Amino acid sequence: MRIVEKRILAKGICLFVIEAPLIAKKAEPGQFVIVRHKENGERIPLTIADYNRDQGTITLVCHGIGKSTQEINQLNQGDSFLDVLGPLGLAMPIEKVGKVLCVAGGLGVAPMYPITRILKAAGNHIISIIGARSQEMLIMTEEMEAVSNQIHYCTDDGSFGHHGFVTDVLSQVLQEQEIDLVVAIGPLPMMAAVAKITKEFAVPTQVSLNALMVDGTGMCGGCRVTIGEKTKFACVDGPVFDAHQVNFAELLSRQNFYRDQEQAALHQCRIGVGR
Amino acid sequence: MRQAMPKQAAEERAQNFAEVALGYTLEQAIAEANRCLQCKRPLCVEGCPVHIDIPGFLKLLAEGNPIPALAKIKEQNSLPAICGRVCPQENQCEGRCVVGIKGDPIAIGNLERFVADYAREVGQEPVLTPAQSLDKKVAVIGSGPAGLAAAADLAQFGYQVTVFESLHAAGGVLRYGIPEFRLPKDIVQHEIDAISELGVEIVTNHLIGQTLTLDDLFEAGYSAIFIGTGAGLPNFLNIPGENLNGVYSANEFLTRVNLMKAYLPEYDTPIKVGQKVAVVGAGNVAMDAARTAKRLGAEEVRIVYRRSRQEMPARLEEIENAEEEGILFSLLTNPVEMIGDESNTVKVLRCQRMTLGEPDQSGRRNPVPVPNEYIDLSADTVIVAIGQGPNPVLLRGTEGLALTERGYIKVNDENLMTSIPGVFAAGDIVTGAATVIQAMGAGRKAASAIHAYLLEQEGN
């Protein structure tokens, strides 16, 4: 699966446009792929950030946090992913509901973009709230502006837009106007905070969960999440769920289970290349 | 006397992933084959789900001709090196062997393995060629035992066969499920390569139902489709604490080790095993998971099972192997809760004592809880190995595919055709979890049915 375009969106965040005609033909907003970049590599789930059925391409955005994602970000235009499997998971159901708030933090803007685009095309009024640590870490702003009726920016350090979290702006917007649906994608603590606020306002809220996975096809159950009282597999039952039913604390601890091994792998990796 | 299978010593093998059983020498194999009585009405053949001509191959081997012996097996079985290793022969061919009535049955499985290994090692494998070339394409979904067996037969009939596999490597449970020490992966690859050489195309990274639908396959010119996707959705216990860190399905644990090779330092996929491991369940998969955990360095590995020893579904050989390697058994012990530490990682598996009551539908005595008798087992890792259900991906993406009450694919018993004309199914996705050879037998039956169906279509 050849990379036809690579862009660096921010420090450590790369965008890849990949030739994957079959996946491009079937992809819907909310779905993801699993990639492997080399023979000994992990299977890494990445959300489909865009797709072009005519050109047969899909767009992936990767944040280099662990060893594998950092190695993926070393790939260049003309290189190939060894394996790309997808589209996986269920598409997010999209209908005209009225006013929709799209809240995205950090890398979450990438998967939010196609969802927002389709929500807009379905006739919804879109208010987007985009957050990042700082101005340099804000990604895909042009794309998001093109599909939003209104857009708010927030940075943790105040270098651009509101100085503070997306949840500050969220609360404000919810107080000022009637919102029919909130979609939130970003780091788990952000999505948990959004869910808490929108629950108070009783606004239906969808989140896209990035649980750890191996196969991505329902076979291993490593991605299980508690939704209401029930265990669901994020790969085949999600990844989009009703935010008010998600047990975020459990998911956060599950995401961090291999953190120490990840750190050790990264450390070794740096020793290996003499940096 | 039945020739004993040479094995790695228990203490040694529990430290490595190399194959446990080392295989017969040619002399041993010939001596063992000579014990066969060459029955006129061989019951062993009836006991074999794919009806290998067992006396036939044993006679050739006894005469010192292992290569023709393998050719004889290959008439019925496309994966002999695998089946010789993982079939439950004691319930099949060897279970029906007449010599076994008064003594030990002929070691048919060990000999099947021997001839396949011998031919591979000397590089003289019988080359199979399709009977003819038919201008029709057949799609096979899933590259596990059912799919591979069906693909091999369909190719022999002359069809152009494409196998679609969702993972990045072919073999299904042979690849991700059964560990290296019981079924080396280079042998799996070699047997799959032999099927590819028949002209079968294997396409990985395609999840049918998502990447392509059955309709897409018909549109692409496939005249018939075989579904052999297996029962790929792991069952959990549904008890409190099951989503704690350190709790794996056997599928996940074994996939991380077998497919992703997490046990080798040069591979990037992580796994954690800790000091104390509890494996819930007592089937072959549970034994595989327990023995794998031991090899990953766990100090104490324990099988936790709610019934008694007699009811354990694993092969006796695997139970004995596990015991020799120091796996502990907590029987009549049923998990009721998993308790975690402050980091949400499992530390205790709380179990209730059980006793055996009346036999249930399966004929096994039903486990009954003993009131107020609980035991806390400490565990850093809990592996749940209590079977699997039908994977929903293909089923939900396919309109008009009739399912049973339990969610498996409904087929016509005679020809294994599903509710969609031209779509056939067999193996675990029809019957629920079974054995490698049963799935292969079902895959072969489906291949014949597809052949008959396509000939009939041709005629119309």
Side-chain angles (χ1 to χ4, degrees):
Chain A
M1 301 282 187
R2 206 170 62 90
I3 298 166
V4 293
E5 186 190 342
K6 178 191 181 180
R7 272 191 281 152
I8 297 169
L9 299 182
K11 188 165 178 279
I13 300 180
C14 295
L15 175 148
F16 299 95
V17 180
I18 299 169
E19 276 174 354
L22 290 181
I23 301 173
K25 204 170 160 187
K26 286 283 193 299
E28 298 288 348
Q31 292 187 303
F32 64 100
V33 294
I34 289 215
V35 304
R36 241 173 24 125
H37 67 292
K38 62 169 191 185
E39 197 48 58
N40 298 356
E42 288 177 87
R43 293 170 66 92
I44 301 284
L46 294 174
T47 313
I48 299 173
D50 205 355
Y51 48 87
N52 185 321
R53 302 206 205 282
D54 296 333
Q55 290 176 9
T57 58
I58 59 168
T59 302
L60 305 176
V61 175
C62 177
H63 194 181
I65 302 172
K67 179 170 183 274
S68 298
T69 47
Q70 290 192 2
E71 285 178 8
I72 286 170
N73 281 351
Q74 302 292 315
L75 296 174
N76 287 308
Q77 189 179 324
D79 292 344
S80 287
F81 282 89
L82 188 59
D83 304 297
V84 183
L85 169 68
L88 301 174
L90 294 172
M92 181 172 156
I94 302 252
E95 46 193 305
K96 184 176 175 183
V97 292
K99 267 191 189 172
V100 181
L101 252 182
C102 295
V103 187
L107 191 72
V109 185
M112 182 61 92
Y113 168 64
I115 292 175
T116 313
R117 194 182 66 202
I118 306 277
L119 280 166
K120 180 92 183 335
N124 292 292
H125 180 92
I126 307 288
I127 303 171
S128 296
I129 307 173
I130 310 293
R133 281 208 307 275
S134 62
Q135 186 176 7
E136 308 87 75
M137 299 301 283
L138 280 168
I139 61 168
M140 299 178 77
T141 52
E142 274 178 36
E143 287 93 333
M144 283 305 290
E145 279 174 23
V147 296
S148 305
N149 296 84
Q150 211 185 327
I151 194 159
H152 301 270
Y153 293 104
C154 315
T155 50
D156 298 359
D157 64 358
S159 53
F160 191 75
H162 169 76
H163 185 168
F165 296 132
V166 288
T167 42
D168 306 338
V169 181
L170 171 73
S171 299
Q172 205 183 328
V173 175
L174 287 174
Q175 268 159 23
E176 287 165 2
Q177 42 188 312
E178 197 73 18
I179 297 294
D180 300 293
L181 172 69
V182 173
V183 183
I185 308 179
L188 275 180
M190 183 210 96
M191 291 194 283
V194 168
K196 196 168 168 234
I197 292 167
T198 61
K199 197 169 184 181
E200 285 167 20
F201 286 87
V203 181
T205 303
Q206 303 272 312
V207 286
S208 175
L209 303 180
N210 51 343
L212 297 183
M213 293 181 187
V214 183
D215 62 295
T217 65
M219 191 262 280
C220 86
C223 64
R224 56 198 192 277
V225 291
T226 302
I227 306 294
E229 299 292 300
K230 289 200 169 123
T231 292
K232 299 276 182 186
F233 290 4
C235 67
V236 292
D237 300 320
V240 178
F241 292 100
D242 175 354
H244 299 153
Q245 303 291 319
V246 175
N247 183 335
F248 284 103
E250 175 190 278
L251 183 56
L252 190 60
S253 82
R254 289 184 66 81
Q255 270 196 345
N256 290 332
F257 186 49
Y258 295 103
R259 188 54 56 90
D260 50 344
Q261 293 191 8
E262 271 285 308
Q263 291 306 320
L266 265 182
H267 183 60
Q268 270 179 352
C269 169
R270 291 211 179 98
I271 290 170
V273 296
R275 273 187 283 168
Chain B
M1 269 290 281
R2 178 175 162 123
Q3 295 287 327
M5 173 60 94
K7 283 186 192 175
Q8 276 199 74
E11 308 88 70
E12 192 183 319
R13 72 185 192 233
Q15 316 279 327
N16 68 52
F17 276 84
E19 194 172 11
V20 168
L22 301 171
Y24 285 158
T25 61
L26 179 60
E27 292 70 30
Q28 279 182 300
I30 290 172
E32 182 65 20
N34 265 310
R35 293 176 60 230
C36 175
L37 301 178
Q38 294 291 319
C39 302
K40 288 275 181 299
R41 222 185 109 242
L43 295 176
C44 53
V45 180
E46 286 176 24
C48 173
V50 297
H51 309 298
I52 293 173
D53 178 0
I54 294 165
F57 103 78
L58 291 179
K59 182 157 189 289
L60 289 163
L61 178 56
E63 291 163 1
N65 297 312
I67 309 289
L70 177 61
K72 181 59 76 183
I73 294 175
K74 283 220 164 188
E75 289 171 10
Q76 302 298 330
N77 181 357
S78 42
L79 305 171
I82 294 170
C83 293
R85 287 175 163 83
V86 303
C87 271
Q89 291 97 5
E90 62 278 13
N91 303 327
Q92 299 175 346
C93 52
E94 294 179 22
R96 304 288 296 278
C97 175
V98 171
V99 179
I101 296 171
K102 285 193 175 163
D104 291 323
I106 312 297
I108 299 166
N110 292 349
L111 293 174
E112 180 183 27
R113 167 195 161 135
F114 171 80
V115 293
D117 287 358
Y118 181 89
R120 185 180 65 252
E121 281 157 19
V122 301
Q124 287 185 37
E125 288 171 281
V127 180
L128 301 175
T129 43
Q132 55 189 329
S133 178
L134 299 169
D135 189 25
K136 279 218 166 100
K137 297 202 292 180
V138 180
V140 170
I141 307 173
S143 69
L148 289 175
D153 276 15
L154 287 163
Q156 298 253 49
F157 293 141
Y159 295 104
Q160 297 164 45
V161 183
T162 310
V163 178
F164 294 95
E165 166 59 44
S166 69
L167 291 173
H168 57 262
V173 72
L174 308 171
R175 175 77 62 180
Y176 71 75
I178 305 177
E180 181 76 18
F181 56 83
R182 209 150 73 76
L183 181 64
K185 297 307 151 226
D186 55 353
I187 291 178
V188 173
Q189 190 56 50
H190 187 85
E191 301 262 271
I192 291 172
D193 288 345
I195 290 174
S196 299
E197 279 161 25
L198 272 170
V200 172
E201 185 191 10
I202 298 179
V203 180
T204 54
N205 295 318
H206 278 58
L207 179 61
I208 305 302
Q210 302 265 103
T211 314
L212 292 168
T213 61
L214 297 190
D215 284 344
D216 291 332
L217 293 176
F218 280 127
E219 263 171 50
Y222 290 95
S223 304
I225 299 171
F226 172 69
I227 304 176
T229 49
L233 195 77
N235 291 336
F236 284 92
L237 293 155
N238 295 316
I239 61 175
E242 202 162 17
N243 292 348
L244 288 166
N245 284 319
V247 182
Y248 290 95
S249 72
N251 269 4
E252 181 182 358
F253 187 77
L254 290 171
T255 299
R256 282 180 183 271
V257 176
N258 299 329
L259 174 71
M260 304 310 296
K261 304 204 181 299
Y263 68 98
L264 296 174
E266 62 270 31
Y267 284 76
D268 292 339
T269 299
I271 193 155
K272 280 192 186 180
V273 68
Q275 294 305 312
K276 293 191 172 185
V277 178
V279 179
V280 181
N284 289 321
V285 175
M287 299 304 147
D288 283 348
R291 297 169 67 195
T292 298
K294 190 83 181 176
R295 283 162 173 76
L296 287 170
E299 259 168 36
E300 182 189 295
V301 182
R302 179 186 300 278
I303 291 278
V304 178
Y305 182 51
R306 63 192 179 131
R307 304 186 204 233
S308 77
R309 197 181 166 88
Q310 283 70 40
E311 290 81 22
M312 292 204 287
R315 296 180 69 189
L316 183 61
E317 182 186 334
E318 300 308 327
I319 296 168
E320 286 172 357
N321 277 333
E323 278 179 328
E324 285 170 19
E325 289 166 17
I327 309 295
L328 307 173
F329 288 75
S330 291
L331 304 175
L332 292 167
T333 304
N334 191 35
V336 292
E337 185 180 358
M338 300 182 196
I339 300 162
D341 62 13
E342 61 288 343
S343 74
N344 237 14
T345 301
V346 68
K347 62 172 186 182
V348 168
L349 180 65
R350 178 161 293 167
C351 301
Q352 186 160 24
R353 288 274 184 225
M354 307 296 275
T355 182
L356 288 181
E358 295 299 310
D360 66 8
Q361 284 166 336
S362 71
R364 296 181 299 179
R365 290 180 65 190
N366 218 13
V368 180
V370 179
N372 302 320
E373 279 200 37
Y374 293 92
I375 171 172
D376 281 356
L377 300 170
S378 49
D380 314 303
T381 298
V382 175
I383 301 168
V384 180
I386 55 164
Q388 318 191 39
N391 185 300
V393 171
L394 175 63
L395 313 181
R396 74 181 177 208
T398 308
E399 256 178 61
L401 188 65
L403 304 180
T404 66
E405 275 170 23
R406 291 165 65 216
Y408 294 97
I409 297 178
K410 214 181 240 178
V411 294
N412 175 325
D413 289 341
E414 295 288 303
N415 69 357
L416 305 179
M417 185 141 69
T418 67
S419 56
I420 304 175
V423 178
F424 298 74
D428 287 5
I429 192 60
V430 171
T431 57
T435 63
V436 168
I437 192 71
Q438 281 169 321
M440 288 183 65
R444 296 199 66 206
K445 188 177 164 196
S448 294
I450 289 169
H451 189 34
Y453 167 80
L454 291 176
L455 287 175
E456 195 188 305
Q457 294 284 305
E458 187 101 325
N460 289 340

